[in-house]
Amino acid sequence: MSGSIEKTILSNLLHSEQYARKVIPFIKSEYFIDKTQGIVADTLVNFFNQYNHPPSIDILTVELSKRQELKNQQVFSTVEQFINELDFVSNDQDWLVKETEGFCKKRAVTLAILDAYEIVEGNDKTRSEDAIPSLLSEALSVSFDSSIGHDYFADYESRYDFYHKVDEKLPFDLELFNKITNGGLSRKTLNVIMAGPKVGKSMLMCHVAASTLLLGKNVLYVTMEMAEERIAERIDANLLDVNLSSIRNLDKEQFSNKINRLINKTRGQLIIKEYPTSGAHAGHFKALLQDLKSKKKFTPDLIVIDYLNICSSSRVKLAAGANSYSYVKSIAEELRGLAVEFNVPILSATQVNRAGVGNTDVDMTNTSESMGLPMTVDCMVAMISTDELEELGQVMIKQIANRYADSSYYKRFVIGVNRAKMKFFDLEESAQKDIIDSGQDKDDDMPAFDKSSFGKRMKTAGTDFKF
């Protein structure tokens, strides 16, 4: 019996149903360098997927005889002789599964490198060099999932432990945001702020980045709209408690003293990275995270991406005719996958569509470009501004989608805003009067907000909403 791992894998795929069930989902014919072995592997996998058990040698011979590549009798005889030699069954299934996983991972990486070379040389006309980080990342992530599901009765103790496990949260410094998220942002989640131009999406993301930094946490801020220095300037105004327009009036000693006092207050780090608009996708962000970890020993506790719609997708090319629904949904899915892979919450933003401008009660149908976005995110809130709210120094927040808690709880609320210092703050409970609703009127023709005294004042005044 040959000692090759490929032949051992094929033998056990043919003769061990237990082994086959564990590894069939991960076996690809291209992993086998020898063409004969690749054809046999492909036939075994196809048969198992169709009939849910391995074939006998006789059946495998018949199935192979149907293959167009084996119509030549001499070639078929060689393959027939090979499958008759597949007679080794390992007694150590755990060892074999582990070795098979290693084989699949090594071959996946090798093939990814070869594909990357073809892309670089210009031989691959369907993919650009932007696809290379994603190719390598996917290959490195190949692994066998040993879990076969949750047994409702047998696993009740682990389920009980899960119910009582304290979820690790990244808290806001805004009380009502903590209430609607049950204490803050959870790891492995994608969270989105929806608003129109000049309402304060980037300001709120900068505020959250600043407050997270003060908690002693690490923040990665990816900007695709403003320059790195502009984002840093907004965070300076927030953290140094200085009007945005006055920062440049500080002399170097004053500025240094404020920054040094800030350094002494927190152990966190903030990295701001700029990309061109539509010039980066989740694959680039993965490469950046890996570089930051290896070169600066930096691992973020929060990733802010400003903003989602002007990222690109590593899987879907807009120029290839993809519609905006599929394209933006693909971006959201890739970013959420990034959050899961790196065990970190991601905060981003999106615009409202044309119908959302002037709407007195924005909802998920007002999401710009893709309704697939609110279906993908873990939490989505809209920021609403009116002339009256501007005069009061306030912004209204409305929940659009929420997997953390019941979205009818604090469906709407207001927070204070100091635009000069790029800050948001909590308001007294009295400020929420007539604004918060429980959603009990959601089935009525008229939204609950419109029937509140605040909503009636807005309609009476004829004030247009800005999103």
Side-chain angles (χ1 to χ4, degrees):
M1 170 68 196
S2 169
S4 72
I5 185 62
E6 292 92 339
K7 199 168 184 180
T8 302
I9 290 170
L10 294 173
S11 290
N12 284 268
L13 283 176
L14 182 60
H15 297 293
S16 173
E17 184 172 341
Q18 178 187 0
Y19 167 77
R21 290 194 182 282
K22 290 182 179 179
V23 306
I24 281 286
F26 310 99
I27 298 294
K28 296 182 179 180
S29 59
E30 56 262 34
Y31 289 168
F32 296 83
I33 298 174
D34 182 89
K35 185 177 180 181
T36 297
Q37 293 177 348
I39 293 171
V40 173
D42 188 56
T43 306
L44 284 168
V45 170
N46 289 339
F47 184 91
F48 194 97
N49 287 335
Q50 184 173 357
Y51 297 102
N52 202 31
H53 62 80
S56 64
I57 289 183
D58 290 341
I59 292 176
L60 178 59
T61 303
V62 173
E63 290 295 315
L64 286 167
S65 69
K66 300 176 184 177
R67 307 267 316 206
Q68 190 63 37
E69 313 99 299
L70 304 178
K71 291 300 182 183
N72 182 290
Q73 185 58 44
Q74 184 176 355
V75 175
F76 180 74
S77 297
T78 301
V79 174
E80 191 175 20
Q81 180 183 348
F82 172 75
I83 63 174
N84 285 320
E85 295 173 0
L86 299 177
D87 55 3
F88 172 75
V89 180
S90 173
N91 293 322
D92 193 336
Q93 291 285 302
D94 291 339
W95 170 85
L96 183 56
V97 169
K98 184 178 180 181
E99 288 297 309
T100 305
E101 181 178 12
F103 164 77
C104 290
K105 181 173 289 189
K106 183 176 180 180
R107 288 297 299 149
V109 171
T110 301
L111 292 172
I113 292 172
L114 293 174
D115 284 345
Y117 176 79
E118 291 297 308
I119 292 171
V120 171
E121 290 296 305
N123 298 327
D124 188 332
K125 304 301 182 183
T126 62
R127 292 177 289 189
S128 68
E129 292 183 7
D130 289 344
I132 292 176
S134 181
L135 278 174
L136 295 174
S137 179
E138 288 174 12
L140 290 168
S141 66
V142 169
S143 64
F144 291 7
D145 185 356
S146 59
S147 172
I148 57 173
H150 179 85
D151 188 317
Y152 181 79
F153 291 113
D155 296 334
Y156 74 89
E157 289 185 352
S158 64
R159 188 163 69 251
Y160 179 86
D161 291 339
F162 171 79
Y163 293 156
H164 293 83
K165 178 182 177 182
V166 178
D167 192 11
E168 187 177 353
K169 292 280 193 173
L170 192 65
F172 295 92
D173 66 344
L174 299 166
E175 180 186 0
L176 289 177
F177 272 99
N178 284 327
K179 285 187 176 181
I180 67 171
T181 56
N182 277 329
L185 299 177
S186 295
R187 293 182 180 274
K188 303 182 181 182
T189 59
L190 175 61
N191 309 272
V192 172
I193 301 162
M194 180 168 71
K198 312 301 181 185
V199 173
K201 299 187 301 296
S202 293
M203 190 196 312
L204 183 54
M205 287 188 285
C206 286
H207 176 91
V208 174
S211 64
T212 302
L213 181 63
L214 288 179
L215 291 174
K217 304 294 186 180
N218 293 337
V219 181
L220 171 62
Y221 197 114
V222 175
T223 173
M224 307 184 74
E225 187 174 37
M226 287 186 282
E228 295 171 356
E229 295 80 8
R230 290 297 184 192
I231 295 298
E233 184 179 32
R234 289 175 170 226
I235 294 175
D236 275 337
N238 182 294
L239 292 176
L240 304 183
D241 199 34
V242 177
N243 286 354
L244 189 65
S245 59
S246 303
I247 289 178
R248 299 187 184 190
N249 296 330
L250 297 174
D251 61 41
K252 189 169 184 179
E253 184 178 359
Q254 289 176 312
F255 187 73
S256 296
N257 289 338
K258 286 180 176 290
I259 292 294
N260 286 324
R261 283 197 294 270
L262 185 59
I263 291 172
N264 292 330
K265 286 173 62 176
T266 179
R267 299 168 67 180
Q269 291 179 275
L270 170 64
I271 302 292
I272 306 169
K273 172 62 178 174
E274 176 186 356
Y275 288 98
T277 300
S278 299
H281 52 61
H284 296 97
F285 305 150
K286 288 181 187 179
L288 173 62
L289 288 164
Q290 290 159 356
D291 279 349
L292 288 170
K293 185 174 183 178
S294 62
K295 296 175 182 177
K296 296 181 71 73
K297 309 300 180 187
F298 175 90
T299 301
D301 298 290
L302 170 67
I303 299 174
V304 181
I305 298 177
D306 191 1
Y307 61 95
L308 188 146
N309 295 63
I310 54 176
C311 294
S312 58
S313 169
S314 62
R315 299 177 299 168
V316 178
K317 302 302 177 188
L318 193 58
N323 57 57
S324 61
Y325 176 94
S326 300
Y327 190 69
V328 174
K329 188 173 189 297
S330 178
I331 294 171
E333 289 170 347
E334 291 165 22
L335 293 184
R336 194 171 189 281
L338 184 73
V340 172
E341 182 176 347
F342 286 87
N343 191 33
V344 63
I346 291 180
L347 177 65
S348 191
T350 189
Q351 300 267 21
V352 295
N353 59 19
R354 185 179 299 177
V357 179
N359 191 333
T360 61
D361 200 20
V362 63
D363 58 30
M364 68 172 60
T365 63
N366 299 125
T367 309
S368 175
E369 298 184 283
S370 177
M371 266 290 290
L373 177 56
M375 305 299 182
T376 305
V377 302
D378 296 278
C379 185
M380 185 172 182
V381 299
M383 296 179 69
I384 301 170
S385 180
T386 70
D387 292 339
E388 181 177 348
L389 287 171
E390 276 296 317
E391 290 177 9
L392 295 172
Q394 298 175 0
V395 171
M396 181 180 290
I397 305 297
K398 178 186 176 183
Q399 296 186 61
I400 303 298
N402 191 353
R403 290 177 180 161
Y404 293 106
D406 182 357
S407 61
S408 65
Y409 178 65
Y410 284 99
K411 182 75 173 179
R412 299 174 184 80
F413 56 90
V414 289
I415 55 175
V417 56
N418 183 335
R419 295 188 184 275
K421 294 184 178 180
M422 298 285 117
K423 285 187 177 181
F424 293 87
F425 52 89
D426 290 320
L427 298 172
E428 295 180 359
E429 190 68 29
S430 59
Q432 311 299 338
K433 186 178 180 182
D434 299 324
I435 293 177
I436 297 173
D437 68 270
S438 62
Q440 68 270 22
D441 297 309
K442 60 187 176 183
D443 294 327
D444 292 353
D445 292 334
M446 184 183 294
F449 173 71
D450 289 344
K451 293 193 286 187
S452 70
S453 60
F454 184 88
K456 289 175 181 175
R457 291 202 307 274
M458 293 298 95
K459 282 187 171 294
T460 301
T463 306
D464 288 333
F465 279 72
K466 303 171 189 173
F467 299 105

